[in-house]
Amino acid sequence: MNELIKLHDLHKSFFVRDVAIKAVDSITLTIKKGEILALTGPSGAGKSTLLHLIGLMDRPTSGEIFFNGENTAGMPENKRCSLRNQHIGFIFQFHHLLPEFTALENVILPGIIGGGKMERLLPVANKILREVGMSQRADHLPSQLSGGEQQRVAVARALMNEPEILLADEPTGNLDHETGETITGMLTEIVRTRKMTLVLVTHNKELERFSDRTARLLDGKIVE
Ligand SMILES: Nc1ncnc2c1ncn2[C@@H]1O[C@H](COP(=O)(O)OP(=O)(O)OP(=O)(O)O)[C@@H](O)[C@H]1O
Ligand SMILES: [Mg+2]
């Protein structure tokens, strides 16, 4: 099967003082295994909302999300949680690293949450840190790292449980242009080498060239 995620007529509304805001409005989309999909569109278009729905962090108001052919709507919360932990990796605009933990500890954490044993996790985490060029800084706290280095660690953490899909919400939005290019280049190369799938939210037109396909959102709809 070539389809990893299928969204069918997805809607998400937020109700603010009885006024409905349609953040995602009838989106039907198939994400293929191994593809890099860019999500673009102006601020407020619904990109983050859509990414949260794809990542099973939020539930749609209506419509269906299929993950590997399985409808996620009826799944109990613990099943959704383990799907998220085992199969989906997240990278955010701000790295969300835990400040009191070292780079290595931050990377290893999803493995521990997933129930892995330290002796098995440690070599995996070290290998991934090497891949993102951060092995020299494994023992450093996030506050001792530059923004770009912190984002490398966040990429490593997202890879820890070897997810099938990575979801990145403007992962370089907080970095200067050149660092943003470098990190996006590194991220997409890792994704291609590992034959993973990536959904990348980006405001930056130039970063779209790293993707196979672009979906442009406007007012909660895919317009292109
Ligand atoms: N928790 C919420 N409660 C109410 N409204 C929300 C909530 N989250 C998002 N929205 C609204 O939904 C719409 C889509 O928001 P979303 O964050 O998905 O946009 P975005 O495309 O990611 O924008 P940006 O580029 O600024 O990050 C906006 O109108 C936003 O105000
Ligand atoms: Mg957003």
Side-chain angles (χ1 to χ4, degrees):
M1 194 184 58
N2 193 25
E3 295 172 1
L4 181 60
I5 289 170
K6 225 171 130 164
L7 311 175
H8 179 71
D9 197 16
L10 213 56
H11 291 257
K12 177 72 186 181
S13 298
F14 294 104
F15 294 90
V16 182
R17 279 184 236 98
D18 293 339
V19 178
I21 297 167
K22 286 185 175 182
V24 166
D25 188 4
S26 187
I27 286 188
T28 294
L29 177 70
T30 300
I31 302 167
K32 295 191 229 76
K33 283 185 182 166
E35 92 167 319
I36 297 182
L37 173 69
L39 289 182
T40 66
S43 182
K47 306 181 294 295
S48 296
T49 305
L50 182 61
L51 206 68
H52 285 117
L53 292 173
I54 295 172
L56 309 181
M57 293 201 283
D58 205 354
R59 285 180 187 267
T61 309
S62 68
E64 268 116 40
I65 303 170
F66 294 87
F67 195 95
N68 267 327
E70 204 181 342
N71 194 340
T72 60
M75 285 181 187
E77 198 50 41
N78 63 342
K79 173 98 196 280
R80 287 163 62 93
C81 260
S82 70
L83 238 177
R84 228 164 25 223
N85 182 261
Q86 299 303 316
H87 298 282
I88 305 171
F90 294 94
I91 306 162
F92 303 96
Q93 176 170 8
F94 299 98
H95 55 76
H96 293 314
L97 296 173
L98 297 176
E100 64 274 35
F101 291 104
T102 66
L104 180 65
E105 288 165 348
N106 267 286
V107 172
I108 228 166
L109 211 57
I112 291 170
I113 293 168
K117 289 227 163 49
M118 205 45 147
E119 61 266 32
R120 189 189 64 80
L121 297 174
L122 207 53
V124 179
N126 276 314
K127 181 172 169 281
I128 299 169
L129 272 176
R130 211 174 312 129
E131 244 178 294
V132 301
M134 287 297 293
S135 43
Q136 307 300 321
R137 315 297 295 273
D139 298 328
H140 290 219
L141 294 171
S143 60
Q144 297 169 314
L145 304 172
S146 74
E149 289 166 345
Q150 291 172 2
Q151 211 49 312
R152 284 172 188 266
V153 176
V155 169
R157 177 185 54 184
L159 293 169
M160 182 64 206
N161 287 343
E162 297 178 341
E164 269 174 273
I165 181 163
L166 277 185
L167 305 176
D169 197 350
E170 299 195 53
T172 62
N174 194 30
L175 304 172
D176 66 74
H177 177 78
E178 201 180 319
T179 312
E181 289 262 315
T182 311
I183 302 258
T184 308
M186 179 197 79
L187 177 62
T188 49
E189 196 183 312
I190 290 174
V191 164
R192 293 208 193 278
T193 309
R194 295 181 170 220
K195 298 188 167 48
M196 292 166 70
T197 306
L198 170 68
V199 182
L200 174 72
V201 171
T202 179
H203 259 121
N204 187 342
K205 267 253 170 254
E206 287 171 47
L207 295 181
E208 284 178 41
R209 69 183 152 85
F210 289 101
S211 68
D212 302 315
R213 195 157 65 109
T214 298
R216 190 173 153 74
L217 268 71
L218 188 64
D219 297 333
K221 293 183 165 68
I222 294 179
V223 290
E224 228 176 281

